[in-house]
Amino acid sequence: MQNLCLMIVLAPLFGAIVTGLFGRTVGRSGAHWLTIIAVGVSFFLSVVVFWRIVIGGEPSYNANLYTWLESGGIPFQIGFLIDELSATMMVVVTFVSWMVHIYTVGYMHDDPGYQRFFSYISLFTFSMLMLVMANNFLQLFFGWEAVGLVSYLLIGFWYTRDTAIYANLKAFLVNRVGDFGFLLGIAAVLMYFSSLDYAEVFDIASDMTGVTISIWSGQDWSLMTVICLLLFVGAMGKSAQVPLHVWLPDSMEGPTPISALIHAATMVTAGIFMVARMSPLFELSTTALSVVLVIGAITAFFMGLLGLVQNDIKRVVAYSTLSQLGYMTVALGASAYSAAIFHLMTHAFFKALLFLAAGSVIIGMHHEQDMRKMGGLRKYMPITWITCLIGSFALIGFPGTAGFFSKDAIIEAVHASTTPGATLGYLACLFGVFITALYSFRLVFLVFHGESRMDEDTASHVHETPAVVWGPLVALAIPSVIIGAIAIEPMLFGDYFGSSIYVDPENDVLARVGEDYHGVLGFIWHGIWQKPFWFATAGVVVAWYCYLRRPDIPRRIAERTSLVHRMLVNKYGFDVFNDWFFAGGARGTGRLLWQIGDVGLIDGIVVNGSAKFVGWWSGVLRHIQSGYLYHYAFAMILGLLALLAVFVHRVAG
């Protein structure tokens, strides 16, 4: 198993290093073949590991490769934990990444940074694999920071654009806020558990339930609550939960393939995976679970609303990601960790599909991204249309699709939860279904249906993208349809995750939901008569009526609710506030320090002050150096008298 694990993580790293350092030598074709084969090898070996652990029932593999350093008797090690949870993540990450690599050959065909891009996305895959395969907090943090670094490089890939530089700096800084909390959480684990090894920490976690710490005088906090909340702050940054969500929509400044990789299988799923991995800790703090649930509910509902006013095709899908991450976070807060990972898996397939379909449209439209300038593309790009339609049906939870099983399971689980805030979570998820359907099919109808709004030159050149682009769309569309029906029973109501996820029996909402589970067809039949299906149907009907039959209605609604519309367009003012308070405050503080420290202290006192003092003292000395002999004689007499007075004083004393 160790050799398999090493090959899985080192294959994409090898491709990244060779392509990055020797890109000119291997050339464009060498770059894509090398990285595609490397990630393909990683995927097939991940399938082997998955088969052995999940299907074959082999025991989990937990071993350390080497000790990086040892301090105070505590070893800091690099190692692998391969269980049902990590094996599932490995397959999802490598498959989606593999599809993105293949798709990139067509999308980035004419880009001068071709080799550099392949190096970055292969390095991204390596970083995420190190994160999900870690058996300790040190390696987790390495992968955590590595995906953050590579996302910074990829979001700002087109570094000649000011918007791209702004976006990657924004992503970097916002994630530093989250990572500061995450690092404090890891430090607290090390301080109180004297170990960073998952198994050792989880084994003694229950003994720490009564331990309290004093953050400030006179106020005691539960140690487990503090640790879980600090770790979750890190998840809020990586998985873009309110208020640390602001970086994710701007990540669209990167090329579309990396948008798919970030939103589907790597960076934003890291926080969801981390909380699920830390379930033995989170189950010891009801307060932490409640905070997780409420934050997820706010994100799921309010970020979905922002998708209704976006006109950029990629930004609609981006806000969809924010909302769906909120659903996963709600599931985590309701102790339905398996449902969160289940939705993470299904979402990875159909969200990658939607992003790559959006990229296919952008290629066909000669890099036009405004949906108001599209329309009628169904007849020009039939494969892109049908795959995008499949992805959209999966996203809204149409019965039978992958998203139906995972999203309905989350809604049912949070409805059955007794965690404080569960009612808010249920209502947010329920109404979020309507919003999701509305903005998803707004995109479908504006882009692929209705009358064409393209100019004549664009219309004359629109055609289906080449097979290297639509091939991955078809490959992703298949699991977007079937994976939910295949995986729901073992992942949610079976012993799929074994001991890799821990749930307190009192919080086991999925067990309660499972009491009414009667097979896949029964779940579908039950879902058709439930509120989520009718909310989704209403969203599709409203989108059809407003954007195909009566396209004047959205404009009239926007005019009559101008205040609300403006608030949504301005994204609730988060960016304005951050630019004014944090960015503006930092610039203001810098100017103040410059005025006081640089101009006042350094230039005014140290540099110019010393020069002025020397000039003044020179002026004083100039009067002494008069050149008259009697002045010097008088000075000598005064000096002699002073010396004589000192001598007499010492003798007398």
Side-chain angles (χ1 to χ4, degrees):
M1 183 65 77
Q2 177 177 307
N3 292 334
L4 270 177
C5 293
L6 284 171
M7 291 176 67
I8 288 169
V9 296
L10 293 180
L13 178 62
F14 173 78
I17 292 174
V18 173
T19 305
L21 297 181
F22 308 103
R24 292 186 178 180
T25 303
V26 300
R28 295 168 71 88
S29 61
H32 68 239
W33 277 113
L34 180 62
T35 53
I36 288 172
I37 291 173
V39 176
V41 168
S42 188
F43 165 66
F44 284 110
L45 293 180
S46 295
V47 172
V48 172
V49 170
F50 180 86
W51 186 270
R52 290 173 57 175
I53 296 292
V54 179
I55 308 298
E58 286 190 16
S60 300
Y61 173 79
N62 186 4
N64 295 311
L65 272 67
Y66 69 95
T67 300
W68 178 54
L69 64 87
E70 188 168 343
S71 177
I74 300 175
F76 295 83
Q77 297 172 315
I78 304 299
F80 294 129
L81 170 58
I82 309 300
D83 55 14
E84 294 83 358
L85 177 59
S86 53
T88 301
M89 290 296 298
M90 288 159 62
V91 172
V92 172
V93 170
T94 53
F95 177 73
V96 173
S97 178
W98 195 32
M99 293 300 101
V100 169
H101 275 70
I102 296 171
Y103 177 92
T104 300
V105 176
Y107 192 89
M108 301 291 288
H109 183 266
D110 297 321
D111 196 282
Y114 192 79
Q115 293 97 314
R116 178 165 57 93
F117 189 82
F118 273 100
S119 175
Y120 285 172
I121 59 175
S122 194
L123 185 62
F124 211 171
T125 307
F126 159 76
S127 302
M128 189 64 185
L129 286 171
M130 287 293 286
L131 188 156
V132 301
M133 296 169 66
N135 73 342
N136 61 81
F137 286 90
L138 173 68
Q139 187 173 327
L140 173 70
F141 188 70
F142 165 78
W144 194 269
E145 293 302 309
V147 294
L149 170 63
V150 183
S151 68
Y152 169 81
L153 296 173
L154 284 163
I155 293 170
F157 182 79
W158 286 320
Y159 53 82
T160 55
R161 301 180 182 179
D162 291 340
T163 52
I165 296 302
Y166 176 82
N168 75 346
L169 183 61
K170 187 176 183 180
F172 188 82
L173 292 176
V174 171
N175 274 278
R176 295 294 69 73
V177 175
D179 293 353
F180 180 68
F182 188 61
L183 188 57
L184 287 178
I186 294 176
V189 169
L190 180 60
M191 180 177 180
Y192 287 93
F193 290 80
S194 299
S195 176
L196 291 177
D197 185 85
Y198 289 162
E200 294 179 9
V201 171
F202 296 160
D203 283 344
I204 61 176
S206 59
D207 298 333
M208 297 289 184
T209 52
V211 178
T212 60
I213 59 175
S214 180
I215 300 177
W216 54 77
S217 179
Q219 181 67 48
D220 290 334
W221 286 71
S222 164
L223 171 65
M224 297 312 304
T225 296
V226 171
I227 289 176
C228 291
L229 289 178
L230 287 172
L231 293 175
F232 182 63
V233 170
M236 288 170 65
K238 279 289 183 288
S239 294
Q241 298 297 290
V242 172
L244 300 182
H245 68 284
V246 293
W247 67 271
L248 190 58
D250 288 339
S251 68
M252 297 302 96
E253 291 297 331
T256 298
I258 194 51
S259 300
L261 200 53
I262 287 177
H263 287 246
T266 54
M267 185 154 166
V268 299
T269 62
I272 306 300
F273 165 80
M274 184 274 292
V275 175
R277 174 62 81 195
M278 300 301 144
S279 58
L281 304 183
F282 278 84
E283 283 298 287
L284 299 175
S285 174
T286 302
T287 301
L289 288 175
S290 183
V291 170
V292 171
L293 196 155
V294 170
I295 292 293
I298 293 171
T299 304
F301 181 75
F302 288 101
M303 294 303 105
L305 287 175
L306 297 183
L308 298 173
V309 298
Q310 302 301 313
N311 294 312
D312 185 311
I313 186 173
K314 286 174 63 177
R315 285 185 179 270
V316 174
V317 186
Y319 280 106
S320 163
T321 300
L322 280 171
S323 182
Q324 297 306 305
L325 288 168
Y327 275 86
M328 299 175 209
T329 306
V330 166
L332 295 172
S335 295
Y337 305 99
S338 299
I341 297 300
F342 183 36
H343 194 52
L344 183 155
M345 178 188 70
T346 61
H347 176 264
F349 295 123
F350 61 72
K351 185 50 57 70
L353 170 60
L354 287 171
F355 264 114
L356 298 187
S360 180
V361 170
I362 293 169
I363 294 173
M365 291 291 296
H366 300 282
H367 297 282
E368 176 60 65
Q369 296 183 199
D370 192 332
M371 297 187 299
R372 294 170 297 184
K373 299 179 181 179
M374 301 178 187
L377 289 180
R378 178 181 57 174
K379 59 184 178 182
Y380 299 101
M381 309 179 73
I383 299 177
T384 300
W385 166 66
I386 193 65
T387 52
C388 184
L389 191 62
I390 290 172
S392 298
F393 275 126
L395 175 60
I396 70 170
F398 186 81
T401 62
F404 164 77
F405 294 101
S406 58
K407 183 180 286 188
D408 271 33
I410 289 176
I411 295 173
E412 291 291 333
V414 72
H415 194 206
S417 175
T418 57
T419 302
T423 301
L424 173 65
Y426 174 69
L427 293 175
C429 291
L430 190 60
F431 288 106
V433 171
F434 171 79
I435 296 168
T436 301
L438 182 54
Y439 65 65
S440 297
F441 276 83
R442 171 178 176 261
L443 183 152
V444 171
F445 294 142
L446 285 178
V447 173
F448 295 102
H449 295 265
E451 296 181 0
S452 173
R453 297 177 298 280
M454 299 177 284
D455 57 63
E456 293 184 4
D457 181 62
T458 302
S460 64
H461 293 91
V462 175
H463 57 82
E464 185 60 83
T465 47
V468 73
V469 173
W470 61 253
L473 300 185
V474 175
L476 288 165
I478 295 171
S480 296
V481 174
I482 67 173
I483 197 68
I486 294 172
I488 181 173
E489 187 165 345
M491 290 188 77
L492 298 190
F493 310 120
D495 194 30
Y496 178 95
F497 287 107
S499 61
S500 61
I501 288 177
Y502 171 75
V503 181
D504 190 305
E506 294 182 1
N507 296 336
D508 197 353
V509 292
L510 288 177
R512 297 170 212 161
V513 174
E515 292 173 0
D516 296 323
Y517 178 77
H518 302 291
V520 171
L521 294 179
F523 193 89
I524 295 174
W525 178 253
H526 177 266
I528 291 175
W529 302 104
Q530 299 303 306
K531 295 183 184 71
F533 172 72
W534 296 107
F535 273 68
T537 302
V540 174
V541 172
V542 170
W544 168 79
Y545 187 75
C546 290
Y547 295 100
L548 287 184
R549 293 297 299 268
R550 293 287 304 278
D552 60 303
I553 290 180
R555 176 180 52 79
R556 290 164 56 190
I557 293 175
E559 291 173 352
R560 294 182 180 180
T561 59
S562 58
L563 181 62
V564 175
H565 183 262
R566 188 161 58 249
M567 180 180 66
L568 295 178
V569 170
N570 292 331
K571 295 169 280 189
Y572 305 118
F574 277 103
D575 285 342
V576 174
F577 175 78
N578 290 336
D579 286 342
W580 170 75
F581 185 78
F582 292 109
R587 289 192 295 268
T589 304
R591 283 193 295 268
L592 181 63
L593 293 175
W594 169 68
Q595 288 288 347
I596 296 174
D598 199 7
V599 176
L601 181 62
I602 298 175
D603 290 343
I605 296 177
V606 178
V607 179
N608 295 332
S610 60
K612 291 178 181 178
F613 176 76
V614 170
W616 173 80
W617 183 244
S618 299
V620 172
L621 294 178
R622 190 179 301 117
H623 294 295
I624 299 175
Q625 300 293 328
S626 63
Y628 293 108
L629 183 62
Y630 61 86
H631 285 171
Y632 300 148
F634 180 70
M636 291 172 66
I637 292 170
L638 289 176
L640 183 61
L641 289 173
L643 288 173
L644 183 62
V646 171
F647 176 75
V648 170
H649 176 73
R650 290 177 64 87
V651 172

